[in-house]
Amino acid sequence: MYSFKNDYSEGTHPRILNALIASNLEQTEGYGKDRYTIQAIELLKHKIKYSNIDIHFFSGGTQTNLTSISAFLKPHEAVIAANTAHILVHETGAIEATGHKVISIEVNDGKLNSHHIKSSLDAHTDEHMVKPKLVYISNPTEVGSIYTKAELEQISSFCRENNLILFIDGARLGSALCSDENDLELADLAKLSDAFYIGGTKNGALMGEALVICKDRLKEDFRFHIKQKGALMAKGRILSMQFLELFKDDLYFNLARHANKMANLLSKEISSMGYKFLIHSPSNQIFPILPNRIIEELEKKYAFYVWSKIDHDNSSIRLVTSWATKEDAVEAFIEDLKNLTISSPNIFSLL
Amino acid sequence: MYSFKNDYSEGTHPRILNALIASNLEQTEGYGKDRYTIQAIELLKHKIKYSNIDIHFFSGGTQTNLTSISAFLKPHEAVIAANTAHILVHETGAIEATGHKVISIEVNDGKLNSHHIKSSLDAHTDEHMVKPKLVYISNPTEVGSIYTKAELEQISSFCRENNLILFIDGARLGSALCSDENDLELADLAKLSDAFYIGGTKNGALMGEALVICKDRLKEDFRFHIKQKGALMAKGRILSMQFLELFKDDLYFNLARHANKMANLLSKEISSMGYKFLIHSPSNQIFPILPNRIIEELEKKYAFYVWSKIDHDNSSIRLVTSWATKEDAVEAFIEDLKNLTISSPNIFSLL
Amino acid sequence: MYSFKNDYSEGTHPRILNALIASNLEQTEGYGKDRYTIQAIELLKHKIKYSNIDIHFFSGGTQTNLTSISAFLKPHEAVIAANTAHILVHETGAIEATGHKVISIEVNDGKLNSHHIKSSLDAHTDEHMVKPKLVYISNPTEVGSIYTKAELEQISSFCRENNLILFIDGARLGSALCSDENDLELADLAKLSDAFYIGGTKNGALMGEALVICKDRLKEDFRFHIKQKGALMAKGRILSMQFLELFKDDLYFNLARHANKMANLLSKEISSMGYKFLIHSPSNQIFPILPNRIIEELEKKYAFYVWSKIDHDNSSIRLVTSWATKEDAVEAFIEDLKNLTISSPNIFSLL
Amino acid sequence: MYSFKNDYSEGTHPRILNALIASNLEQTEGYGKDRYTIQAIELLKHKIKYSNIDIHFFSGGTQTNLTSISAFLKPHEAVIAANTAHILVHETGAIEATGHKVISIEVNDGKLNSHHIKSSLDAHTDEHMVKPKLVYISNPTEVGSIYTKAELEQISSFCRENNLILFIDGARLGSALCSDENDLELADLAKLSDAFYIGGTKNGALMGEALVICKDRLKEDFRFHIKQKGALMAKGRILSMQFLELFKDDLYFNLARHANKMANLLSKEISSMGYKFLIHSPSNQIFPILPNRIIEELEKKYAFYVWSKIDHDNSSIRLVTSWATKEDAVEAFIEDLKNLTISSPNIFSLL
């Protein structure tokens, strides 16, 4: 059984284990005051090409989201997010648990634009309603789509004109930045957003997200918030050392490129068999629509999520590739799907 | 510069790294639904000698405390804790941030007893005050003292009679259970408390705490709380695998025994030089009182915390040993202290 | 300028002022432990025809909602509500501020049914999502519609089968129960819901809501929650005395009947002029759709909210009547609207 | 049975009832946007002799405290308060319920000074601890003592030098400002504090506190916070109208003067009988120490709280006077105490 369920099925890239081994018995300061963390912060600033940013390391995405958003907002301020947003759907109300409403905007492709945001501002008119203050977007989105530079610039301008905080969830940022359709760089994110994070957990780290705070006002006392939310690791170096390894050369991007390449291969071949997709996704998650009968056959050999029901006979599935996805597993999946497609009456293509 | 600042200065025991390496490229389920986590839970149940318990893994102590306590309490319910309690002093108000008051009880040795708890219950008489509901103790305490079985039984009985939840912070539980003065076993904790945790971060793990929930009513829906607080790790196996390794034989206890042995050696020798201690501590933290002039000299070669001012000329310091503390570093420290004691006019002994 | 903006424009029914005057200099216990509160609770239990209920008085609806809901839920539990729900739209995120997500269900008429609730349960499948636990409905709804007994029974059964708490916001309950289309009694609410409240502020009281807790499990320690949320009034008798006066005969219902009668008169006459309504509302709020030009003219003499844009030329407005609405003001409004309708080209009727 | 239990046993001063009656059927805007509220704000600004302040009305003290403090602080910021502080002891953890720790400072007389505050700042050194940010004092304190102008100036200077918010709970402010020992004016409070409130509930209003926000940064969006905490009354005019009446002449101060006069009379006479007091109190709460046997006799005719045990035979009691306290009741109490003192062996004076 080979799994395409997610990009955190395996442990970590071997170079990261080696880095942990190399420094293992060295004594360092606790709580991210060690020399590895200092180095990792400097390295990331260099890679991002900005020095006036603060960087903090977390062990997971939900933790990063809830710590940041609750630190950035006052009690009456709310978040605007797409209906597919991870914080809205899959974080067990973590943001609300810190006291803030998340306003859901219905979108088709996981992506917000300034018109969505404006409509939400227009609907919140006085003190009887929450005050929308932070715009949360994910790049790539939870359904695999990515933002272009022009799109991000439009959102960023709107947010600045309206005194809104722009926060980018980058749990899978590597995949977005290495997509064939991407025209953004790390420096653009630092320039256009108020805070964003570079996801490690889903791109080859054992665990770890690097939060980048760009807006000065949001930086103050941030370590207090990390500690209060239980996110300040005693052996903080474990997080930063991984980012040191991922970014000391192009490892981070190479891992993401591999994940994307595997996803592209799947997309191209599945498409060439005549199947459609729920959504256009140029990153490491794809959502092909397949006949239920074929899905049932595939499930005997592969693990993946059945995403949504399309009609009586067809469903979309989610295939996720990662830094660790084996090319021969992808090829085997394609071969199996081809055989199933030929041998089975393709209900979908008759529609 | 050798550090006695804490027990999380180094990485992890090599066997744990080896376990991570061995399984690294295996695909497993995410979020603690993997086979390693299932095995680790079974193994711990076996070691604790109780099967009717739930076990969850966390990456740190503050996270474990805040997730558990906020899950266990209703909004008006409060925690009773010693004035030295970690949740009161060193967790940036993490419990209050989830909405609950922590009632401080002034004690001398870090330890609560049933009289303390009763006095707090007596002082909280009606709905204009919070309702004390959970008793938080640490074993060992934050100042190195430990609970005897009789003491824990007394607290446990009182809590049960008064419908209070007893929660034991075991961030350094290994050191308590391996202390020369200890008469408690893991099974006693499961029998006497409603929830406790077995600390890994401070006893040789890369990171990790194993929360044991004993009381049925507290078990329900617990994974929702873990996720909501950002504590459910995507690669949950990283936590459980460490506990598998620590408990598959006596590694966990052997590491704690080493830490205690190093602390005992320090205590015995420092005591034999005529110095007193702030508190009697039979675990891996000790608090000798030294002349400030000697402390300044020691600080040139060793890292440690100056804990509290005793008088104009003397202070207590905190020395922490760990699974990784080197015996020759301990011996060197003792030697240096002896030399400083002989050569310096011992202000303290004149008092 | 006569106002149809809301049902809290005036002070209070004169009998309530008289009751306050009569007892003014009597010394009583504070915080709702006085004899008036005890009497009011007994009286309401008699009127509701249930004795196994707890009753608490609050000074406003948002306060009642937030205190109750936060007391009833655990941190990971969420509320299901219609998209029009007061707690979702007009309480500045008060529920989220206590840590709980409010799940919005899109409805047309302000009313939830068991299918809506079931679809929400079905969508929340595991610990990565909040756990829906409390169903919030308003009767009448925020758009004036009311629940029939059959509808409420269906919701109640579904909630009981699925272990959900059913909470009824009765800010305008008098108007619902006195509607021509109503077939519910107070006793039905106590039987079918787990908690509901009887609104006074919008039905002739100076201020005040009477919360009725029916489900035993939800009653415990409730006064702690009231105090903690700042809702326990020092002179609690001021709240209960008003309910004593409203319910010692049929005053509460007579006031609601008057409000409904005025709304019905408006509806009937506006309808007979050929205008349509945004929604069928048999209570004291109505939503006629009028040409913008006529609305602008009406605004010169009457205060009311323009509710929503219908098309380029027409909008719906909200007219609210109350216990204090003067019949001649209603007649004047109708007369003015008739004259404007005749003299103005009726854009709407041409559509 | 005459009650000296508190200053909220009776309803309200008759002039307030008359003001409510006079305007009762007038239609006004809701939620404090009415003309009475606008007038009351202007009048209070005039009385306070400051125009650059914001004023908001609340229905009770706990509500005012929790709304203000939670609005003013970020999640990691804490409150410093005396151990007797109302928010620490008698508000059911209302501040903690909004997420903030209240740091208790042990004092003898209910009063904080800058040394207390400094010691708390010194003890909070880094991000592992909360950050003290708001100093909460009450004037008069919960044990009847009052601040002099010099004392308040010292605290105020210290707070400004250390970037701390100074908040004054004025639930019984009238009594402090009308004390024989007072040298503060309303204008001083506005000059020296960042926010304070003028208590009405305990000085003749039906209910109501007027919060004055002096510091600009704290004013922004404040009505959102009021609404979110359930404190924005629909008929907001009921609150402001009372302050209009209390301050349109010297009624507010005259009522407080009466309360103080009654307390002074009690103090003077009780003192002249040879009894001591738990604390020097120049406001409307006094704490005489009496033999338990006499207390038991007094309890047959008078209601009051037994405050604290002094020794085996003696206790302190709390006597509270108010705007409504009858002089002949005070005289009767004194007479009764005299008689009991003569007839009973005065155990206390033998000590």
Side-chain angles (χ1 to χ4, degrees), chain D residues 210-269:
Chain D
L211 174 71
V212 181
I213 308 182
C214 312
K215 192 187 186 74
D216 284 340
R217 188 178 65 74
L218 305 181
K219 294 172 184 170
E220 194 189 7
D221 287 346
F222 198 78
R223 280 175 57 87
F224 286 81
H225 299 285
I226 304 178
K227 177 65 188 177
Q228 188 185 68
K229 301 309 183 211
L232 195 62
M233 285 185 68
K235 301 179 185 175
R237 70 192 204 183
I238 295 167
L239 296 173
S240 53
M241 222 181 274
Q242 298 184 67
F243 280 88
L244 259 185
E245 195 61 35
L246 287 167
F247 281 92
K248 78 179 183 197
D249 49 23
D250 275 339
L251 181 59
Y252 184 79
F253 298 105
N254 290 339
L255 296 180
R257 271 181 211 112
H258 175 78
N260 285 354
K261 189 180 153 198
M262 294 300 100
N264 288 348
L265 184 53
L266 282 166
S267 286
K268 201 185 60 164
E269 294 291 338

